[in-house]
Amino acid sequence: MTLIHRLRRSMADYPPMLWLLAVGCFLNVGGLSFLWPLNSIYIHEELGKPLTVAGLVLLLHSAGATAGYLAGGSLFDRVGARPVLLTGLLTASLVIALPGLIDSWPLYVAVMFLFGLSASFVFPAINALAAKVWPEGGRRAFNFLYVANNLGVAVGTAIGGLVAQVSFDLAFLSASLTLFLFAVFAFFKIRDPEPSVTAPAQPVAEAQAAAPETSATFERPLTPEFKIPWLPINALFIGFLILWIAYVQWQSSIAVYMQSQGTSLSAYSLLWTINGVLIFCGQPLIAWLVRVFRSPSSQMFLGTGLFLIAFLLILLSNSYSVFIAGMIVLTLGEMLLWPCIPAAVSQLSPPSRLGFLQGLIGSGGPVGRMLGPLIGGLLYDHFPFSTLVLFIIGLMLIPLICFAVYMRTART
């Protein structure tokens, strides 16, 4: 009975619509995760193209995703969440089914761009809707969706790998079906809040006092309707983008380096298993850190500092145990940063531009994923690995400066 009581209490802590959005996040990211680990393998082994070409196709996919974030966020402000979700999901479902039905290299290149564009409509709409239905929740709302996303990644990659062993065509069709199921779910369950719900029912400070265990103290109240505070918004965008350039090194240049040092692919994959397990099991630790470091800026500084420590560790040693320690530290930084930055943006956003600004800040992710492998690859190919790591360590000064700018200007 105690477990059931705790579950009911946990469900009561979050608005019903946020639970529905979390289910949507699980379906959406689960469907996408059927494919993202397999794209390079499919292009290289099934289509017979070199890895350089695969990298260019994924670059094109990220370019489409960047445009999708911006377009989806802007459309959210004009027409609301439901039309944006349905447009993005149905288009993405249709587009990604095509490679499962037709084997064509030119078609696949076009599909990757259109899929990146349409699938990315969903993310700013979900974030903006979460901010609308629970404005007093602060980072708690975004952290809730972040955990749901990672659960989708864990399940999607596991099932996607098994399905791809049977057939890549089946993997494409399975991803299409999952996105279609989310579209059906969104049609029946996802609703935009009434206009009266878009503003906090109580002052932010009072709402945070009512839930002090996980809420963060934001530096300013919601921005007036007519004014966008561009300086702190741009500071958050740049900081977020640079952090993604650093983060993606663990999926690209660091992965190549570890294999060159004799680390097996399964041992490298274990790092990401640790990442996923820690995201779920480490939530009590993050809740405690949020209680101690209450303001978003202090959480951003701490998260960036943890990113810095993760790279310092692998600079000191190339042993596998050090890479495990680095991944643990990196994951803790990620758990602080990824929910905190969109939550901070939501507090700075005028209600009529909430979707656009969530799309803007979210686009820093695909831009970072485009630039990160390119920068890391150039440094890895022409300099010692230590030079790459030192460059990333130096790069971490930029987010620290950006978050200091946010801290100062978000008060004004």
Side-chain angles (χ1 to χ4, degrees):
M1 293 299 292
T2 303
L3 181 61
I4 296 175
H5 176 72
R6 288 180 179 177
L7 181 60
R8 288 176 177 173
R9 183 177 178 181
S10 176
M11 293 182 68
D13 284 343
Y14 298 93
M17 182 56 68
L18 199 65
W19 281 96
L20 295 175
L21 289 175
V23 172
C25 284
F26 173 78
L27 290 172
N28 182 54
V29 177
L32 299 179
S33 298
F34 268 62
L35 300 176
W36 71 260
L38 305 172
N39 272 323
S40 294
I41 298 172
Y42 176 77
I43 295 170
H44 182 59
E45 295 185 3
E46 294 292 316
L47 299 178
K49 304 297 179 181
L51 285 177
T52 302
V53 173
L56 291 174
V57 173
L58 295 179
L59 190 71
L60 185 66
H61 172 78
S62 295
T66 302
Y69 269 97
L70 297 172
S74 296
L75 285 172
F76 173 91
D77 293 329
R78 297 184 179 185
V79 300
R82 198 156 167 262
V84 175
L85 290 174
L86 293 175
T87 300
L89 290 167
L90 291 174
T91 304
S93 176
L94 175 64
V95 165
I96 204 58
L98 294 177
L101 302 172
I102 304 170
D103 290 327
S104 168
W105 169 243
L107 174 67
Y108 185 77
V109 174
V111 161
M112 281 295 99
F113 175 79
L114 293 174
F115 184 63
L117 177 69
S118 55
S120 296
F121 271 44
V122 175
F123 296 101
I126 288 178
N127 279 351
L129 185 56
K132 278 194 170 186
V133 300
W134 200 27
E136 67 273 20
R139 66 164 281 137
R140 295 179 69 195
F142 294 92
N143 188 68
F144 193 63
L145 299 182
Y146 166 73
V147 174
N149 280 328
N150 279 277
L151 181 60
V153 169
V155 174
T157 51
I159 298 176
L162 295 174
V163 171
Q165 286 183 348
V166 177
S167 166
F168 275 101
D169 291 343
L170 186 58
F172 288 116
L173 295 174
S174 298
S176 173
L177 177 61
T178 306
L179 295 173
F180 180 76
L181 288 176
F182 182 22
V184 173
F185 178 82
F187 180 80
F188 287 105
K189 295 294 184 180
I190 303 298
R191 294 288 184 274
D192 290 282
E194 296 298 324
S196 60
V197 180
T198 62
Q202 54 181 326
V204 173
E206 292 180 15
Q208 289 163 348
E213 68 278 3
T214 53
S215 294
T217 304
F218 286 86
E219 274 81 358
R220 59 173 291 155
L222 286 170
T223 306
E225 175 67 30
F226 56 85
K227 183 180 179 183
I228 295 178
W230 282 113
L231 185 55
I233 291 287
N234 286 328
L236 290 173
F237 172 78
I238 295 170
F240 188 57
L241 189 156
I242 298 297
L243 288 168
W244 265 106
I245 289 176
Y247 185 83
V248 79
Q249 301 307 316
W250 285 80
Q251 301 170 347
S252 53
S253 57
I254 291 176
V256 174
Y257 175 75
M258 289 182 68
Q259 289 192 297
S260 73
Q261 299 300 302
T263 304
S264 67
L265 186 58
S266 60
Y268 169 74
S269 299
L270 180 61
L271 294 181
W272 293 104
T273 302
I274 293 171
N275 173 270
V277 170
L278 187 57
I279 286 171
F280 295 114
C281 299
Q283 288 301 315
L285 174 59
I286 294 300
W288 176 78
L289 288 173
V290 169
R291 287 197 299 269
V292 175
F293 299 89
R294 289 186 58 80
S295 69
S297 54
S298 63
Q299 295 166 28
M300 293 174 201
F301 287 133
L302 178 59
T304 306
L306 291 170
F307 269 45
L308 185 62
I309 292 171
F311 283 94
L312 282 171
L313 286 172
I314 63 174
L315 182 65
L316 298 175
S317 173
N318 62 359
S319 70
Y320 183 66
S321 60
V322 170
F323 281 98
I324 290 177
M327 175 55 76
I328 291 172
V329 174
L330 183 83
T331 303
L332 291 175
E334 168 192 352
M335 292 165 72
L336 283 167
L337 289 163
W338 291 170
C340 183
I341 292 175
V345 171
S346 74
Q347 292 294 320
L348 293 167
S349 301
S352 65
R353 304 306 301 277
L354 183 58
F356 167 72
L357 293 176
Q358 286 294 333
L360 175 66
I361 201 71
S363 69
V367 172
R369 290 191 290 273
M370 281 194 293
L371 296 178
L374 177 62
I375 294 171
L378 289 172
L379 290 172
Y380 185 87
D381 288 340
H382 295 92
F383 299 96
F385 179 70
S386 59
T387 302
L388 166 62
V389 178
L390 285 170
F391 175 82
I392 297 298
I393 289 172
L395 204 63
M396 288 296 95
L397 293 175
I398 297 177
L400 291 174
I401 293 171
C402 289
F403 299 148
V405 171
Y406 161 77
M407 181 178 65
R408 296 291 297 273
T409 58
R411 294 179 181 276
T412 58

